[in-house]
Amino acid sequence: MDLSLFFTQFINGLQTGSIYALVALGYSMVYGIILLLNFAHGDVIMIGAYSLFYALVQFHFHPVLAAIVAVAASTIVGLLIQQIAYRPLLNAPRLSLLITAIAMSFLLQNGAQILFGADAKSLDPLVPGSLHL
């Protein structure tokens, strides 16, 4: 096996694993604090990813500014979900909150598919050139 291919795949695995770890950390923090499995958690992250993508591609923002926009969009969507869907059910049975979380997940997924389509998106490299080790 080529050593450069191994190193490249190792870095790719670290990047993907880091994203999974952040999502899992968010799930465990939410469950640990309010004892709710928020199934819409990953979908809120998806909204942030789409916000980042369109801030870079359509509006040509600087990557740091695009990241700030993505964090702001995710925060706003999360707060709206909390205020509209979860807050009215705070004294309801836990099953009601769980069903609402699943419904919010479906709503965000299908809304994103309607708005953004189901095709793959691509992004030009943010840093030109390559690094050879």
Side-chain angles (χ1 to χ4, degrees):
M1 176 184 226
D2 186 17
L3 189 59
S4 65
L5 177 64
F6 175 78
F7 183 71
T8 301
Q9 293 304 327
F10 180 76
I11 296 300
N12 288 339
L14 282 177
Q15 289 175 332
T16 304
S18 297
I19 292 169
Y20 290 157
L22 283 174
V23 173
L25 180 65
Y27 270 119
S28 62
M29 286 176 61
V30 169
Y31 184 75
I33 293 169
I34 62 173
L35 299 177
L36 168 68
L37 284 175
N38 184 8
F39 288 104
H41 182 80
D43 303 307
V44 172
I45 293 171
M46 171 196 63
I47 297 298
Y50 274 118
S51 300
L52 179 79
F53 175 78
Y54 281 104
L56 289 171
V57 172
Q58 295 293 325
F59 301 110
H60 307 290
F61 285 0
H62 186 274
V64 173
L65 182 58
I68 292 170
V69 167
V71 169
S74 296
T75 302
I76 290 168
V77 168
L79 288 172
L80 285 172
I81 290 171
Q82 202 276 337
Q83 290 297 319
I84 294 169
Y86 297 153
R87 185 173 293 275
L89 298 174
L90 285 179
N91 295 323
R94 294 210 107 24
L95 185 60
S96 299
L97 280 169
L98 186 65
I99 292 170
T100 303
I102 293 169
M104 289 310 304
S105 177
F106 285 157
L107 178 74
L108 289 173
Q109 286 175 22
N110 292 312
Q113 189 171 10
I114 290 169
L115 286 174
F116 307 119
D119 55 327
K121 309 285 188 259
S122 64
L123 183 66
D124 293 332
L126 297 177
V127 179
S130 62
L131 175 65
H132 298 283
L133 297 175

